[in-house]
Amino acid sequence: MAYPEGLLGEDEHVIVHKHPHWKMLVLPVLILFVVVGGGSYLAALAAATGWRMIAWVGLAVVGAVLIIWFTLAPLVRWRTTHFVVTTHRLMVREGVFTRSGIDIPMSRINSVRFRHGLLDRLVGCGTLIVESASDEPLEFDDIPNVEQVHTLLYREVNDDPRDDWDWEER
């Protein structure tokens, strides 16, 4: 899904558009399996009782609340979080009901670093650290292909139009 072009400037183009890495959804999916499995087991135990309908309704309500809170909410949060690098700025947008965002102009970015441990390297993500004119560096966690994003962002920050080689003129 491309970032909405209507939110960009006239001569601004999207270079990178990412959602957080899928690893942040592993725990919510495991919780889904535990809730469904545990609820099914408890429903089977309640089937032999005289109050099984009340137990099934109670299990369904508790299960639905747990699935909505611990699985659907993180999934929607993941889907509505955007990390976007354009030709003019770095943008991060997150939130479902209350949206928040940060825009950093390329001219204000001083340095770009990344960090990823063994698990992050195995699944292909990491933390991008951007130092700008603000007091402390901004860290963006769970960026997929963080090394490639780091390289692209570094190139955009240090891109000097005078350095471009125009093959047609030469």
Side-chain angles (χ1 to χ4, degrees), residues 95-139:
V96 180
F97 299 113
T98 303
R99 299 277 297 161
S100 64
I102 184 169
D103 290 5
I104 305 171
M106 289 295 177
S107 61
R108 299 277 186 184
I109 296 176
N110 297 331
S111 70
V112 182
R113 296 180 291 145
F114 70 92
R115 176 182 64 234
H116 53 169
L118 181 60
L119 177 63
D120 287 339
R121 288 189 354 235
L122 288 173
V123 297
C125 69
T127 300
L128 189 70
I129 304 159
V130 177
E131 292 184 25
S132 64
S134 66
D135 292 339
E136 55 187 63
L138 299 170
E139 293 190 7

Side-chain angles (χ1 to χ4, degrees), residues 3-168:
Y3 197 74
E5 295 291 326
L7 299 177
L8 303 177
E10 287 181 23
D11 59 342
E12 188 174 20
H13 303 286
V14 173
I15 297 168
V16 175
H17 176 215
K18 303 267 185 188
H19 294 284
H21 195 268
W22 56 263
K23 83 171 190 176
M24 74 177 293
L25 297 175
V26 170
L27 184 60
V29 169
L30 289 176
I31 290 172
L32 172 68
F33 290 151
V34 168
V35 168
V36 170
S40 298
Y41 177 74
L42 292 174
L45 289 178
T49 65
W51 42 272
R52 66 179 164 261
M53 290 305 285
I54 295 172
W56 288 346
V57 169
L59 286 171
V61 168
V62 169
V65 167
L66 290 174
I67 289 171
I68 289 169
W69 190 265
F70 292 110
T71 302
L72 289 180
L75 178 66
V76 171
R77 197 174 311 118
W78 172 82
R79 189 71 180 121
T80 58
T81 300
H82 301 272
F83 179 84
V84 182
V85 177
T86 70
T87 52
H88 295 257
R89 58 191 164 153
L90 166 69
M91 300 185 295
V92 177
R93 301 286 187 268
E94 56 190 2
V96 180
F97 299 113
T98 303
R99 299 277 297 161
S100 64
I102 184 169
D103 290 5
I104 305 171
M106 289 295 177
S107 61
R108 299 277 186 184
I109 296 176
N110 297 331
S111 70
V112 182
R113 296 180 291 145
F114 70 92
R115 176 182 64 234
H116 53 169
L118 181 60
L119 177 63
D120 287 339
R121 288 189 354 235
L122 288 173
V123 297
C125 69
T127 300
L128 189 70
I129 304 159
V130 177
E131 292 184 25
S132 64
S134 66
D135 292 339
E136 55 187 63
L138 299 170
E139 293 190 7
F140 304 105
D141 296 323
D142 297 327
I143 302 295
N145 302 320
V146 71
E147 290 185 50
Q148 293 172 347
V149 173
H150 167 265
T151 302
L152 288 170
L153 186 55
Y154 180 79
R155 285 184 186 155
E156 283 301 315
V157 167
N158 293 309
D159 188 26
D160 186 354
R162 295 173 293 174
D163 293 340
D164 291 342
W165 181 270
D166 190 357
W167 291 98
E168 293 177 9

